[in-house]
Amino acid sequence: MIIGVPQEIKTHEYRVALTPWGARALTRAGHKVLVQAGAGAGSGMPDEDYAAGGAAIVTGAEELWQRAEMILKVKEPQPVEVQRARPGQVLFTYFHFAADRELTLGLRDSGAHCFAYETLEVDGHLPLLTPMSEVAGRMAVQEGARFLERPFGGSGVLLSGLPGVEPGQVLILGGGTVGTNAAWIAAGMGARVTILDIDLERLRHLEEVMPDNVTTVYSTEEAIEERLDRTDLLIGAVLIPGARTPRLVRREHLSRMRPGSVIVDVAVDQGGCVETCRPTTHEEPTFVVDGVVHYCVANMPGAVARTSTFGLTNATLPWILRLAALGPKRAVEGDPALRTAANILGGHITHPAVAAAFDLPAEAPEEAAAALA
Ligand SMILES: NC(=O)c1ccc[n+]([C@@H]2O[C@H](COP(=O)([O-])OP(=O)(O)OC[C@H]3O[C@@H](n4cnc5c(N)ncnc54)[C@H](O)[C@@H]3O)[C@@H](O)[C@H]2O)c1
């Protein structure tokens, strides 16, 4: 198969869908890899490294989209890319279709086959979402610590404390992938960490594996409220799959927090677990409400592009290899995990949640695949 890797064009997106090592693995498997010139630059991966891995460097995005039978990306296709997609072409990327009607209809009408990283499911897990949650969780503490610094508008608390000075307090709402990764980093810095969750099994597991400066607490409104006056950094990491994030911290709660305390609401992409949260960008990551600094960047991993690109390719490469070997029809018919990734096939929406989001008809992926050549 001819596999194309364009440069990402969304503002402040520095990741790329494939590392040079990934390009080598694909060429070794007999595929032809086309990489747009400069596609890896934002992740510190120069064209020469891709060429050394057997990829051909293509100058323009237009030519790459025309020649490639499968396009690998990171972010959802932007309007100009939707126009480039053509019938029978396979697109493998994060789409988040349910959030964007225009994108859904544009790609349905393009006749391309859209396989989404975010819905690929194995044993109830979403393995292509996990690495980005790991990055965001780890980064949440790094960014929180930065914005606690006085010059950035923070209260001037050093999370580790000092000999003779108490460490900072970190409150984490949600002990899933983001919350666990945040807790590891905050605990490693020496902060006092509390994780709240409603899943008792999860809390049991965390209690066993976390160091002594991490406490687990069952999540209730009262449990959150009574801790806010001691919280220097609050991290929002709650997820209820398929639903809007519950608003666990309301505006009236903010006055309980010390001025300059910081909220990093990682769950902003699902609406956020803090009422006053609204999406921000890396250009202007924070805003202040009632004296509390809010960091609500919706694509946190884009800022640590190099690490994120490695993390993403580690997770996607086995599936890219499988999809390229099978092609879209056999992938849907014979591979249950790739079938869960199929969101649109040749003009038909094949993921029930995407169809439901816009009140459109859904076709079973197997049926849509049966009609493919
Ligand atoms: N901003 C970004 O750049 C970025 C990057 C990656 C992930 N995310 C988002 O971060 C969020 C968390 O992702 P994840 O991978 O950790 O999800 P996850 O499913 O692994 O964890 C979510 C946890 O929230 C818990 N939870 C549910 N209701 C709760 C409540 N009322 N109180 C406390 N905990 C509760 C669940 O039991 C679960 O353990 C998601 O919204 C995800 O989309 C954002």
Side-chain angles (χ1 to χ4, degrees):
M1 207 181 233
I2 304 174
I3 300 169
V5 183
Q7 176 160 25
E8 292 297 316
I9 54 175
K10 192 164 181 174
T11 324
H12 281 293
E13 183 51 69
Y14 304 106
R15 287 171 288 179
V16 61
L18 195 70
T19 58
W21 157 77
R24 185 183 297 270
L26 287 171
T27 48
R28 277 200 185 137
H31 304 293
K32 186 169 177 56
V33 179
L34 310 176
V35 176
Q36 187 181 347
S43 299
M45 298 172 187
D47 292 346
E48 303 81 68
D49 290 3
Y50 286 98
I57 308 300
V58 174
T59 321
E62 198 91 44
E63 183 195 341
L64 181 125
W65 278 79
Q66 251 167 35
R67 288 175 60 192
E69 294 162 293
M70 170 151 89
I71 294 281
L72 303 178
K73 274 181 55 59
V74 181
K75 294 305 287 183
E76 69 280 1
Q78 302 300 292
V80 62
E81 295 176 315
V82 174
Q83 281 169 16
R84 288 183 186 135
R86 53 184 170 74
Q89 192 170 44
V90 176
L91 311 183
F92 198 22
T93 185
Y94 291 116
F95 288 100
H96 296 289
F97 277 123
D100 193 337
R101 187 184 175 91
E102 212 173 306
L103 177 73
T104 307
L105 297 183
L107 285 175
R108 182 195 66 180
D109 297 344
S110 74
H113 309 311
C114 303
F115 288 77
Y117 296 156
E118 71 271 14
T119 62
L120 190 145
E121 197 178 315
V122 181
D123 298 334
H125 295 282
L126 303 169
L128 304 191
L129 268 189
T130 306
M132 294 307 106
S133 286
E134 290 168 339
V135 170
R138 287 166 188 236
M139 222 183 129
V141 180
Q142 182 171 312
E143 294 301 288
R146 178 157 71 108
F147 287 103
L148 275 170
E149 292 174 20
R150 195 76 198 168
F152 291 105
S155 61
V157 165
L158 182 65
L159 283 178
S160 63
L162 290 180
V165 182
E166 284 194 12
Q169 303 255 4
V170 178
L171 186 67
I172 302 176
L173 309 181
T177 310
V178 169
T180 305
N181 279 273
W184 276 119
I185 300 299
M189 281 173 136
R192 292 218 175 106
V193 182
T194 306
I195 311 181
L196 279 77
D197 205 299
I198 50 169
D199 179 343
L200 273 179
E201 275 311 308
R202 189 76 207 152
L203 291 178
R204 273 191 198 107
H205 168 72
L206 291 169
E207 185 76 25
E208 273 174 26
V209 299
M210 286 289 163
D212 288 346
N213 52 340
V214 177
T215 310
T216 60
V217 173
Y218 189 82
S219 178
T220 62
E221 204 175 326
E222 293 71 30
I224 297 169
E225 265 183 55
E226 70 187 31
R227 282 170 179 80
L228 287 178
D229 59 348
R230 308 172 247 147
T231 297
D232 297 296
L233 170 59
L234 183 141
I235 295 175
V238 165
L239 176 67
I240 299 178
R244 196 209 169 283
T245 318
R247 296 217 156 114
L248 301 179
V249 176
R250 292 191 304 279
R251 179 160 187 168
E252 65 258 32
H253 293 141
L254 296 186
S255 59
R256 292 175 178 241
M257 297 178 79
R258 203 191 2 241
S261 300
V262 175
I263 294 176
V264 176
D265 200 347
V266 184
V268 59
D269 59 341
Q270 300 287 334
C273 37
V274 176
E275 186 185 11
T276 40
C277 150
R278 60 173 163 79
T280 59
T281 62
H282 288 295
E283 226 155 30
E284 222 173 297
T286 61
F287 58 92
V288 178
V289 180
D290 297 341
V292 176
V293 180
H294 291 52
Y295 175 102
C296 308
V297 176
N299 65 330
M300 294 173 68
V304 288
R306 189 169 166 81
T307 301
S308 299
T309 291
F310 281 119
L312 183 66
T313 302
N314 289 345
T316 55
L317 189 61
W319 302 102
I320 297 170
L321 281 161
R322 240 191 250 197
L323 183 52
L326 294 170
K329 183 179 167 70
R330 283 200 294 142
V332 170
E333 287 172 347
D335 189 307
L338 284 171
R339 192 181 309 139
T340 58
N343 280 211
I344 293 178
L345 287 172
H348 300 281
I349 299 177
T350 51
H351 198 284
V354 176
F358 306 117
D359 230 349
L360 291 166
E363 187 154 335
E366 297 90 329
E367 275 171 32
L372 301 180

